[in-house]
């Protein structure tokens, strides 16, 4: 049962990392900049800066989320696995 939970955590960590890194940060940052530039009101520089920051840090955020999902999953997969030492 712990191996199944470990596999689910690893796969969900990869999928969630891709979703957050690519869709939320990278594409979301681009859309945020475009929407801010197209707005009929004055352009808010802080929203443009946040959009640029989302684009720049998309890869790092995606990797961090992925690793935070993979580490507990691999810990569950290797739980109870011990190397035998020859004496």
């Amino acid at each position: 049962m712990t191996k199944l939970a470990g596999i689910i955590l690893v796969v969900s960590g990869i999928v969630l990392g891709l979703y957050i890194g690519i869709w939320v940060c990278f594409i979301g940052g681009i859309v945020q900049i475009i929407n801010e530039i197209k707005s009929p009101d004055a352009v808010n520089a802080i929203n443009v800066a946040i959009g640029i920051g989302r684009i720049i840090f998309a890869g790092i955020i995606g990797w961090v989320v992925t690793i935070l999902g993979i580490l507990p999953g691999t810990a569950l997969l290797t739980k109870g696995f011990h190397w035998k030492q020859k004496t």
Side-chain angles (χ1 to χ4, degrees), residues 28-71:
I30 293 172
V31 169
Q32 181 177 0
I33 292 170
I34 292 172
N35 285 339
E36 190 60 37
I37 291 172
K38 286 175 55 177
S39 70
D41 302 332
V43 175
N44 190 353
I46 196 75
N47 285 338
V48 174
I50 291 172
I52 292 171
R54 285 172 69 178
I55 293 170
I56 290 172
F57 293 111
I60 296 169
I61 293 170
W63 276 107
V64 167
V65 171
T66 302
I67 289 171
L68 288 177
I70 289 177
L71 286 180

mmCIF file of all heavy atoms in Angstrom, residues 28-71:
data_model
loop_
_atom_site.group_PDB
_atom_site.id
_atom_site.type_symbol
_atom_site.label_atom_id
_atom_site.label_comp_id
_atom_site.label_asym_id
_atom_site.label_seq_id
_atom_site.Cartn_x
_atom_site.Cartn_y
_atom_site.Cartn_z
ATOM 1 N N GLY A 28 0.644 32.159 -17.393
ATOM 2 C CA GLY A 28 -0.082 33.140 -16.585
ATOM 3 C C GLY A 28 0.629 34.479 -16.529
ATOM 4 O O GLY A 28 -0.003 35.535 -16.548
ATOM 5 N N GLY A 29 1.957 34.456 -16.482
ATOM 6 C CA GLY A 29 2.722 35.694 -16.492
ATOM 7 C C GLY A 29 2.584 36.439 -17.805
ATOM 8 O O GLY A 29 2.448 37.664 -17.840
ATOM 9 N N ILE A 30 2.630 35.696 -18.920
ATOM 10 C CA ILE A 30 2.461 36.318 -20.234
ATOM 11 C C ILE A 30 1.073 36.932 -20.361
ATOM 12 O O ILE A 30 0.921 38.069 -20.820
ATOM 13 C CB ILE A 30 2.726 35.286 -21.347
ATOM 14 C CG1 ILE A 30 4.199 34.883 -21.344
ATOM 15 C CG2 ILE A 30 2.331 35.836 -22.714
ATOM 16 C CD1 ILE A 30 4.520 33.728 -22.268
ATOM 17 N N VAL A 31 0.055 36.198 -19.946
ATOM 18 C CA VAL A 31 -1.319 36.706 -20.021
ATOM 19 C C VAL A 31 -1.491 37.924 -19.119
ATOM 20 O O VAL A 31 -2.165 38.895 -19.491
ATOM 21 C CB VAL A 31 -2.321 35.584 -19.651
ATOM 22 C CG1 VAL A 31 -3.716 36.123 -19.462
ATOM 23 C CG2 VAL A 31 -2.305 34.502 -20.711
ATOM 24 N N GLN A 32 -0.881 37.904 -17.968
ATOM 25 C CA GLN A 32 -0.975 39.044 -17.054
ATOM 26 C C GLN A 32 -0.367 40.293 -17.676
ATOM 27 O O GLN A 32 -0.950 41.386 -17.579
ATOM 28 C CB GLN A 32 -0.274 38.714 -15.741
ATOM 29 C CG GLN A 32 -0.341 39.821 -14.715
ATOM 30 C CD GLN A 32 0.311 39.426 -13.407
ATOM 31 O OE1 GLN A 32 0.817 38.324 -13.255
ATOM 32 N NE2 GLN A 32 0.279 40.324 -12.447
ATOM 33 N N ILE A 33 0.771 40.166 -18.322
ATOM 34 C CA ILE A 33 1.401 41.321 -18.962
ATOM 35 C C ILE A 33 0.542 41.833 -20.114
ATOM 36 O O ILE A 33 0.319 43.043 -20.244
ATOM 37 C CB ILE A 33 2.819 40.951 -19.455
ATOM 38 C CG1 ILE A 33 3.730 40.700 -18.262
ATOM 39 C CG2 ILE A 33 3.398 42.050 -20.333
ATOM 40 C CD1 ILE A 33 5.072 40.111 -18.639
ATOM 41 N N ILE A 34 0.048 40.927 -20.940
ATOM 42 C CA ILE A 34 -0.780 41.340 -22.081
ATOM 43 C C ILE A 34 -2.058 42.009 -21.613
ATOM 44 O O ILE A 34 -2.459 43.050 -22.155
ATOM 45 C CB ILE A 34 -1.081 40.131 -22.988
ATOM 46 C CG1 ILE A 34 0.205 39.669 -23.674
ATOM 47 C CG2 ILE A 34 -2.154 40.462 -24.012
ATOM 48 C CD1 ILE A 34 0.065 38.374 -24.429
ATOM 49 N N ASN A 35 -2.725 41.456 -20.614
ATOM 50 C CA ASN A 35 -3.947 42.067 -20.101
ATOM 51 C C ASN A 35 -3.692 43.440 -19.501
ATOM 52 O O ASN A 35 -4.515 44.346 -19.621
ATOM 53 C CB ASN A 35 -4.613 41.163 -19.074
ATOM 54 C CG ASN A 35 -5.308 39.988 -19.711
ATOM 55 O OD1 ASN A 35 -5.637 40.004 -20.892
ATOM 56 N ND2 ASN A 35 -5.514 38.948 -18.921
ATOM 57 N N GLU A 36 -2.564 43.595 -18.848
ATOM 58 C CA GLU A 36 -2.252 44.885 -18.237
ATOM 59 C C GLU A 36 -1.951 45.935 -19.307
ATOM 60 O O GLU A 36 -2.352 47.086 -19.178
ATOM 61 C CB GLU A 36 -1.068 44.746 -17.281
ATOM 62 C CG GLU A 36 -0.811 45.959 -16.435
ATOM 63 C CD GLU A 36 -1.982 46.332 -15.546
ATOM 64 O OE1 GLU A 36 -2.662 45.432 -15.040
ATOM 65 O OE2 GLU A 36 -2.216 47.543 -15.372
ATOM 66 N N ILE A 37 -1.269 45.530 -20.362
ATOM 67 C CA ILE A 37 -0.961 46.485 -21.426
ATOM 68 C C ILE A 37 -2.226 46.850 -22.212
ATOM 69 O O ILE A 37 -2.392 47.999 -22.618
ATOM 70 C CB ILE A 37 0.135 45.913 -22.348
ATOM 71 C CG1 ILE A 37 1.449 45.858 -21.574
ATOM 72 C CG2 ILE A 37 0.294 46.733 -23.614
ATOM 73 C CD1 ILE A 37 2.567 45.155 -22.294
ATOM 74 N N LYS A 38 -3.136 45.901 -22.394
ATOM 75 C CA LYS A 38 -4.358 46.149 -23.151
ATOM 76 C C LYS A 38 -5.439 46.857 -22.348
ATOM 77 O O LYS A 38 -6.446 47.258 -22.924
ATOM 78 C CB LYS A 38 -4.921 44.821 -23.672
ATOM 79 C CG LYS A 38 -4.139 44.244 -24.827
ATOM 80 C CD LYS A 38 -4.643 42.874 -25.244
ATOM 81 C CE LYS A 38 -6.112 42.902 -25.550
ATOM 82 N NZ LYS A 38 -6.613 41.609 -26.032
ATOM 83 N N SER A 39 -5.261 47.004 -21.055
ATOM 84 C CA SER A 39 -6.311 47.599 -20.228
ATOM 85 C C SER A 39 -6.529 49.064 -20.615
ATOM 86 O O SER A 39 -5.587 49.785 -20.925
ATOM 87 C CB SER A 39 -5.951 47.494 -18.748
ATOM 88 O OG SER A 39 -4.884 48.351 -18.449
ATOM 89 N N PRO A 40 -7.797 49.514 -20.576
ATOM 90 C CA PRO A 40 -8.081 50.904 -20.952
ATOM 91 C C PRO A 40 -7.594 51.908 -19.904
ATOM 92 O O PRO A 40 -7.406 53.074 -20.211
ATOM 93 C CB PRO A 40 -9.604 50.936 -21.077
ATOM 94 C CG PRO A 40 -10.078 49.794 -20.260
ATOM 95 C CD PRO A 40 -9.002 48.767 -20.293
ATOM 96 N N ASP A 41 -7.394 51.467 -18.705
ATOM 97 C CA ASP A 41 -6.877 52.345 -17.654
ATOM 98 C C ASP A 41 -5.371 52.503 -17.838
ATOM 99 O O ASP A 41 -4.766 51.934 -18.725
ATOM 100 C CB ASP A 41 -7.174 51.758 -16.267
ATOM 101 C CG ASP A 41 -8.667 51.547 -16.043
ATOM 102 O OD1 ASP A 41 -9.451 52.294 -16.645
ATOM 103 O OD2 ASP A 41 -9.010 50.622 -15.284
ATOM 104 N N ALA A 42 -4.777 53.264 -16.970
ATOM 105 C CA ALA A 42 -3.330 53.431 -17.013
ATOM 106 C C ALA A 42 -2.647 52.100 -16.673
ATOM 107 O O ALA A 42 -3.150 51.312 -15.885
ATOM 108 C CB ALA A 42 -2.889 54.503 -16.029
ATOM 109 N N VAL A 43 -1.507 51.883 -17.277
ATOM 110 C CA VAL A 43 -0.764 50.644 -17.036
ATOM 111 C C VAL A 43 -0.175 50.684 -15.633
ATOM 112 O O VAL A 43 0.484 51.645 -15.243
ATOM 113 C CB VAL A 43 0.358 50.478 -18.088
ATOM 114 C CG1 VAL A 43 1.209 49.263 -17.763
ATOM 115 C CG2 VAL A 43 -0.227 50.361 -19.475
ATOM 116 N N ASN A 44 -0.447 49.632 -14.881
ATOM 117 C CA ASN A 44 0.077 49.522 -13.530
ATOM 118 C C ASN A 44 1.418 48.791 -13.616
ATOM 119 O O ASN A 44 1.480 47.608 -13.966
ATOM 120 C CB ASN A 44 -0.898 48.768 -12.638
ATOM 121 C CG ASN A 44 -0.525 48.827 -11.193
ATOM 122 O OD1 ASN A 44 0.537 49.323 -10.829
ATOM 123 N ND2 ASN A 44 -1.405 48.305 -10.348
ATOM 124 N N ALA A 45 2.493 49.482 -13.303
ATOM 125 C CA ALA A 45 3.835 48.916 -13.469
ATOM 126 C C ALA A 45 4.078 47.719 -12.561
ATOM 127 O O ALA A 45 4.822 46.806 -12.929
ATOM 128 C CB ALA A 45 4.879 49.998 -13.200
ATOM 129 N N ILE A 46 3.461 47.701 -11.392
ATOM 130 C CA ILE A 46 3.695 46.582 -10.473
ATOM 131 C C ILE A 46 3.111 45.292 -11.028
ATOM 132 O O ILE A 46 3.696 44.216 -10.859
ATOM 133 C CB ILE A 46 3.165 46.898 -9.053
ATOM 134 C CG1 ILE A 46 3.758 45.932 -8.023
ATOM 135 C CG2 ILE A 46 1.667 46.820 -8.985
ATOM 136 C CD1 ILE A 46 5.160 46.219 -7.695
ATOM 137 N N ASN A 47 1.976 45.367 -11.721
ATOM 138 C CA ASN A 47 1.405 44.157 -12.323
ATOM 139 C C ASN A 47 2.268 43.644 -13.467
ATOM 140 O O ASN A 47 2.409 42.435 -13.645
ATOM 141 C CB ASN A 47 -0.016 44.421 -12.818
ATOM 142 C CG ASN A 47 -1.012 44.492 -11.684
ATOM 143 O OD1 ASN A 47 -0.760 43.962 -10.603
ATOM 144 N ND2 ASN A 47 -2.125 45.153 -11.907
ATOM 145 N N VAL A 48 2.852 44.540 -14.230
ATOM 146 C CA VAL A 48 3.767 44.127 -15.295
ATOM 147 C C VAL A 48 5.013 43.490 -14.683
ATOM 148 O O VAL A 48 5.499 42.457 -15.159
ATOM 149 C CB VAL A 48 4.136 45.325 -16.199
ATOM 150 C CG1 VAL A 48 5.187 44.931 -17.213
ATOM 151 C CG2 VAL A 48 2.902 45.872 -16.898
ATOM 152 N N ALA A 49 5.525 44.066 -13.610
ATOM 153 C CA ALA A 49 6.713 43.519 -12.947
ATOM 154 C C ALA A 49 6.429 42.149 -12.352
ATOM 155 O O ALA A 49 7.285 41.241 -12.432
ATOM 156 C CB ALA A 49 7.193 44.478 -11.866
ATOM 157 N N ILE A 50 5.262 41.959 -11.779
ATOM 158 C CA ILE A 50 4.901 40.648 -11.226
ATOM 159 C C ILE A 50 4.784 39.623 -12.344
ATOM 160 O O ILE A 50 5.220 38.470 -12.207
ATOM 161 C CB ILE A 50 3.606 40.747 -10.397
ATOM 162 C CG1 ILE A 50 3.861 41.536 -9.120
ATOM 163 C CG2 ILE A 50 3.050 39.364 -10.076
ATOM 164 C CD1 ILE A 50 2.621 41.850 -8.321
ATOM 165 N N GLY A 51 4.214 40.016 -13.473
ATOM 166 C CA GLY A 51 4.127 39.115 -14.618
ATOM 167 C C GLY A 51 5.501 38.709 -15.129
ATOM 168 O O GLY A 51 5.741 37.545 -15.460
ATOM 169 N N ILE A 52 6.420 39.666 -15.195
ATOM 170 C CA ILE A 52 7.785 39.361 -15.624
ATOM 171 C C ILE A 52 8.468 38.430 -14.620
ATOM 172 O O ILE A 52 9.164 37.489 -14.995
ATOM 173 C CB ILE A 52 8.586 40.658 -15.829
ATOM 174 C CG1 ILE A 52 8.035 41.426 -17.026
ATOM 175 C CG2 ILE A 52 10.070 40.375 -16.006
ATOM 176 C CD1 ILE A 52 8.592 42.820 -17.191
ATOM 177 N N GLY A 53 8.244 38.675 -13.331
ATOM 178 C CA GLY A 53 8.817 37.807 -12.299
ATOM 179 C C GLY A 53 8.267 36.390 -12.382
ATOM 180 O O GLY A 53 9.010 35.419 -12.194
ATOM 181 N N ARG A 54 6.975 36.256 -12.697
ATOM 182 C CA ARG A 54 6.392 34.925 -12.852
ATOM 183 C C ARG A 54 7.034 34.182 -14.017
ATOM 184 O O ARG A 54 7.278 32.979 -13.937
ATOM 185 C CB ARG A 54 4.887 35.032 -13.073
ATOM 186 C CG ARG A 54 4.127 35.367 -11.802
ATOM 187 C CD ARG A 54 2.684 35.666 -12.070
ATOM 188 N NE ARG A 54 1.946 34.483 -12.488
ATOM 189 C CZ ARG A 54 0.639 34.494 -12.743
ATOM 190 N NH1 ARG A 54 -0.048 35.611 -12.644
ATOM 191 N NH2 ARG A 54 0.040 33.392 -13.118
ATOM 192 N N ILE A 55 7.318 34.910 -15.097
ATOM 193 C CA ILE A 55 7.945 34.273 -16.256
ATOM 194 C C ILE A 55 9.377 33.858 -15.931
ATOM 195 O O ILE A 55 9.812 32.751 -16.265
ATOM 196 C CB ILE A 55 7.909 35.225 -17.470
ATOM 197 C CG1 ILE A 55 6.468 35.441 -17.920
ATOM 198 C CG2 ILE A 55 8.742 34.680 -18.609
ATOM 199 C CD1 ILE A 55 6.301 36.543 -18.937
ATOM 200 N N ILE A 56 10.117 34.750 -15.285
ATOM 201 C CA ILE A 56 11.523 34.476 -14.988
ATOM 202 C C ILE A 56 11.676 33.282 -14.043
ATOM 203 O O ILE A 56 12.535 32.423 -14.234
ATOM 204 C CB ILE A 56 12.202 35.727 -14.389
ATOM 205 C CG1 ILE A 56 12.339 36.803 -15.467
ATOM 206 C CG2 ILE A 56 13.559 35.396 -13.789
ATOM 207 C CD1 ILE A 56 12.820 38.140 -14.952
ATOM 208 N N PHE A 57 10.840 33.221 -13.011
ATOM 209 C CA PHE A 57 10.990 32.177 -11.997
ATOM 210 C C PHE A 57 10.107 30.960 -12.239
ATOM 211 O O PHE A 57 9.981 30.106 -11.361
ATOM 212 C CB PHE A 57 10.701 32.756 -10.614
ATOM 213 C CG PHE A 57 11.722 33.771 -10.182
ATOM 214 C CD1 PHE A 57 11.385 35.108 -10.078
ATOM 215 C CD2 PHE A 57 13.018 33.394 -9.911
ATOM 216 C CE1 PHE A 57 12.322 36.049 -9.695
ATOM 217 C CE2 PHE A 57 13.965 34.321 -9.526
ATOM 218 C CZ PHE A 57 13.616 35.655 -9.419
ATOM 219 N N ALA A 58 9.506 30.833 -13.420
ATOM 220 C CA ALA A 58 8.619 29.703 -13.708
ATOM 221 C C ALA A 58 9.357 28.371 -13.613
ATOM 222 O O ALA A 58 8.839 27.411 -13.039
ATOM 223 C CB ALA A 58 7.985 29.867 -15.080
ATOM 224 N N GLY A 59 10.552 28.300 -14.153
ATOM 225 C CA GLY A 59 11.306 27.048 -14.119
ATOM 226 C C GLY A 59 11.694 26.638 -12.719
ATOM 227 O O GLY A 59 11.569 25.467 -12.338
ATOM 228 N N ILE A 60 12.163 27.597 -11.952
ATOM 229 C CA ILE A 60 12.575 27.298 -10.575
ATOM 230 C C ILE A 60 11.378 26.847 -9.742
ATOM 231 O O ILE A 60 11.462 25.860 -9.001
ATOM 232 C CB ILE A 60 13.243 28.531 -9.941
ATOM 233 C CG1 ILE A 60 14.534 28.862 -10.696
ATOM 234 C CG2 ILE A 60 13.529 28.307 -8.467
ATOM 235 C CD1 ILE A 60 15.138 30.196 -10.334
ATOM 236 N N ILE A 61 10.269 27.544 -9.871
ATOM 237 C CA ILE A 61 9.074 27.187 -9.107
ATOM 238 C C ILE A 61 8.568 25.811 -9.527
ATOM 239 O O ILE A 61 8.181 24.994 -8.681
ATOM 240 C CB ILE A 61 7.990 28.271 -9.282
ATOM 241 C CG1 ILE A 61 8.439 29.571 -8.627
ATOM 242 C CG2 ILE A 61 6.659 27.807 -8.713
ATOM 243 C CD1 ILE A 61 7.570 30.761 -8.945
ATOM 244 N N GLY A 62 8.585 25.523 -10.822
ATOM 245 C CA GLY A 62 8.168 24.205 -11.295
ATOM 246 C C GLY A 62 9.035 23.093 -10.751
ATOM 247 O O GLY A 62 8.536 22.046 -10.325
ATOM 248 N N TRP A 63 10.356 23.307 -10.736
ATOM 249 C CA TRP A 63 11.259 22.294 -10.203
ATOM 250 C C TRP A 63 11.069 22.095 -8.704
ATOM 251 O O TRP A 63 11.102 20.964 -8.209
ATOM 252 C CB TRP A 63 12.717 22.653 -10.494
ATOM 253 C CG TRP A 63 13.152 22.227 -11.855
ATOM 254 C CD1 TRP A 63 13.380 23.028 -12.923
ATOM 255 C CD2 TRP A 63 13.391 20.897 -12.297
ATOM 256 N NE1 TRP A 63 13.751 22.272 -14.008
ATOM 257 C CE2 TRP A 63 13.772 20.954 -13.642
ATOM 258 C CE3 TRP A 63 13.323 19.651 -11.682
ATOM 259 C CZ2 TRP A 63 14.074 19.829 -14.391
ATOM 260 C CZ3 TRP A 63 13.634 18.527 -12.432
ATOM 261 C CH2 TRP A 63 14.001 18.617 -13.759
ATOM 262 N N VAL A 64 10.874 23.178 -7.975
ATOM 263 C CA VAL A 64 10.695 23.062 -6.521
ATOM 264 C C VAL A 64 9.425 22.274 -6.201
ATOM 265 O O VAL A 64 9.429 21.384 -5.336
ATOM 266 C CB VAL A 64 10.676 24.455 -5.853
ATOM 267 C CG1 VAL A 64 10.194 24.380 -4.420
ATOM 268 C CG2 VAL A 64 12.052 25.084 -5.919
ATOM 269 N N VAL A 65 8.337 22.584 -6.892
ATOM 270 C CA VAL A 65 7.085 21.859 -6.654
ATOM 271 C C VAL A 65 7.247 20.385 -7.021
ATOM 272 O O VAL A 65 6.760 19.500 -6.310
ATOM 273 C CB VAL A 65 5.933 22.514 -7.443
ATOM 274 C CG1 VAL A 65 4.677 21.664 -7.405
ATOM 275 C CG2 VAL A 65 5.641 23.900 -6.898
ATOM 276 N N THR A 66 7.938 20.115 -8.123
ATOM 277 C CA THR A 66 8.162 18.731 -8.531
ATOM 278 C C THR A 66 8.988 17.969 -7.497
ATOM 279 O O THR A 66 8.648 16.843 -7.121
ATOM 280 C CB THR A 66 8.883 18.691 -9.893
ATOM 281 O OG1 THR A 66 8.090 19.384 -10.849
ATOM 282 C CG2 THR A 66 9.106 17.275 -10.356
ATOM 283 N N ILE A 67 10.048 18.581 -7.020
ATOM 284 C CA ILE A 67 10.906 17.912 -6.031
ATOM 285 C C ILE A 67 10.160 17.699 -4.721
ATOM 286 O O ILE A 67 10.312 16.658 -4.067
ATOM 287 C CB ILE A 67 12.200 18.718 -5.831
ATOM 288 C CG1 ILE A 67 13.066 18.584 -7.081
ATOM 289 C CG2 ILE A 67 12.964 18.263 -4.603
ATOM 290 C CD1 ILE A 67 14.268 19.485 -7.114
ATOM 291 N N LEU A 68 9.321 18.668 -4.335
ATOM 292 C CA LEU A 68 8.547 18.500 -3.104
ATOM 293 C C LEU A 68 7.521 17.380 -3.219
ATOM 294 O O LEU A 68 7.049 16.860 -2.204
ATOM 295 C CB LEU A 68 7.856 19.815 -2.732
ATOM 296 C CG LEU A 68 8.766 20.918 -2.207
ATOM 297 C CD1 LEU A 68 7.964 22.185 -1.942
ATOM 298 C CD2 LEU A 68 9.483 20.473 -0.948
ATOM 299 N N GLY A 69 7.150 16.996 -4.422
ATOM 300 C CA GLY A 69 6.276 15.843 -4.599
ATOM 301 C C GLY A 69 7.046 14.543 -4.726
ATOM 302 O O GLY A 69 6.590 13.490 -4.284
ATOM 303 N N ILE A 70 8.223 14.612 -5.352
ATOM 304 C CA ILE A 70 8.994 13.395 -5.594
ATOM 305 C C ILE A 70 9.676 12.885 -4.325
ATOM 306 O O ILE A 70 9.721 11.673 -4.080
ATOM 307 C CB ILE A 70 10.021 13.633 -6.716
ATOM 308 C CG1 ILE A 70 9.298 13.747 -8.054
ATOM 309 C CG2 ILE A 70 11.059 12.531 -6.767
ATOM 310 C CD1 ILE A 70 10.209 14.055 -9.221
ATOM 311 N N LEU A 71 10.203 13.778 -3.506
ATOM 312 C CA LEU A 71 10.946 13.336 -2.317
ATOM 313 C C LEU A 71 10.122 12.479 -1.361
ATOM 314 O O LEU A 71 10.571 11.400 -0.960
ATOM 315 C CB LEU A 71 11.550 14.534 -1.602
ATOM 316 C CG LEU A 71 12.769 15.164 -2.270
ATOM 317 C CD1 LEU A 71 13.263 16.350 -1.458
ATOM 318 C CD2 LEU A 71 13.874 14.156 -2.446
#
